[in-house]
Amino acid sequence: ETGVTQTPRHLVMGMTNKKSLKCEQHLGHNAMYWYKQSAKKPLELMFVYSLEERVENNSVPSRFSPECPNSSHLFLHLHTLQPEDSALYLCASSRRTDTQYFGPGTRLTVL
Amino acid sequence: GQQVMQIPQYQHVQEGEDFTTYCNSSTTLSNIQWYKQRPGGHPVFLIQLVKSGEVKKQKRLTFQFGEAKKNSSLHITATQTTDVGTYFCAALNTGFQKLVFGTGTRLLVSP
């Protein structure tokens, strides 16, 4: 499946680093999402963008900063993360309330 | 907020045995979706149920939506090793165009 791509697939960063995760969808969808998936918790919705406007920020710490420059691209900027932020970060897209299509995820490790 | 619980959290079966996971919501759902996530993979959409009491089948998988639209189930007949993974139900929150994912049921199938 190449409908939703994410880069990088793996990322190791120190707590003082700044990095960005990228998501791109080629499905013509108008909504994009960031999820966090860790071993101890189910899928946690972080942000929702609809038509390039952020419509949901699920009490996410400010060290995570999303950006949606257009309907096909979504970024998650990371800075001064904590070890407990280590997780699989999944991007998804959909047509409004339709099925969500997930990218392969970025496995993030914070040292 | 809306919560979606799944039971069991984990089940280990012998190949050929049946398997069922249950999804329960505290509120009436407009629809429910099911996703499967293989180990090391990302969630992949399986099916959507909309009508009260609806039953849908995909080969050995049977999906059911409760009459009160507060619960759903996924039943796998004669499991195979390829069924291994985590199965998530997800309820649509139409107000915010987002899915609320259940806690997931991890299935392990031994040959």
Side-chain angles (χ1 to χ4, degrees):
Chain A
E1 298 177 13
T2 58
V4 182
T5 57
Q6 287 186 246
T7 54
R9 296 292 307 276
H10 300 272
L11 178 63
V12 179
M13 60 186 290
M15 289 191 285
T16 58
N17 292 157
K18 288 185 180 181
K19 297 287 184 183
S20 295
L21 309 184
K22 179 182 176 182
C23 175
E24 186 172 358
Q25 60 98 359
H26 311 275
L27 301 169
H29 292 164
N30 54 17
M32 297 186 78
Y33 312 79
W34 279 116
Y35 288 88
K36 176 184 177 182
Q37 187 176 40
S38 57
K40 297 182 179 180
K41 293 185 178 181
L43 283 163
E44 300 177 72
L45 179 64
M46 300 175 73
F47 301 103
V48 180
Y49 274 83
S50 178
L51 297 173
E52 302 155 38
E53 286 190 31
R54 190 190 312 178
V55 297
E56 177 98 358
N57 177 344
N58 220 14
S59 302
V60 179
S62 59
R63 57 186 184 268
F64 295 92
S65 174
E67 178 190 0
C68 188
N70 55 62
S71 59
S72 298
H73 294 86
L74 185 65
F75 294 89
L76 188 61
H77 304 299
L78 317 171
H79 64 99
T80 59
L81 294 191
Q82 305 298 312
E84 58 265 28
D85 296 322
S86 298
L88 179 67
Y89 288 85
L90 290 158
C91 173
S93 70
S94 73
R95 268 198 313 258
R96 286 186 58 79
T97 57
D98 209 342
T99 305
Q100 292 195 9
Y101 291 81
F102 286 82
T106 295
R107 175 69 62 183
L108 174 67
T109 303
V110 182
L111 301 176
Chain B
Q2 184 177 34
Q3 290 189 334
V4 181
M5 302 300 295
Q6 275 184 260
I7 54 171
Q9 286 189 343
Y10 170 80
Q11 188 153 9
H12 186 179
V13 301
Q14 292 295 123
E15 192 170 24
E17 293 181 338
D18 292 356
F19 159 78
T20 304
T21 172
Y22 300 90
C23 180
N24 296 289
S25 170
S26 55
T27 60
T28 301
L29 306 170
S30 58
N31 66 36
I32 196 151
Q33 299 180 7
W34 284 92
Y35 291 76
K36 176 184 178 182
Q37 184 173 18
R38 294 181 185 275
H42 56 277
V44 175
F45 174 77
L46 294 177
I47 209 159
Q48 176 171 281
L49 304 172
V50 179
K51 299 178 183 177
S52 168
E54 187 172 13
V55 177
K56 287 187 176 181
K57 292 190 176 184
Q58 289 180 351
K59 297 183 180 179
R60 294 178 295 103
L61 277 60
T62 301
F63 304 84
Q64 187 166 4
F65 203 5
E67 293 289 342
K69 299 183 76 173
K70 284 189 174 183
N71 56 70
S72 180
S73 64
L74 158 58
H75 179 81
I76 302 178
T77 303
T79 54
Q80 299 176 359
T81 54
T82 53
D83 296 325
V84 165
T86 301
Y87 293 85
F88 294 95
C89 63
L92 183 65
N93 181 321
T94 54
F96 293 102
Q97 195 175 313
K98 69 176 186 180
L99 287 177
V100 177
F101 278 84
T103 46
T105 296
R106 184 180 165 206
L107 172 65
L108 184 61
V109 180
S110 295

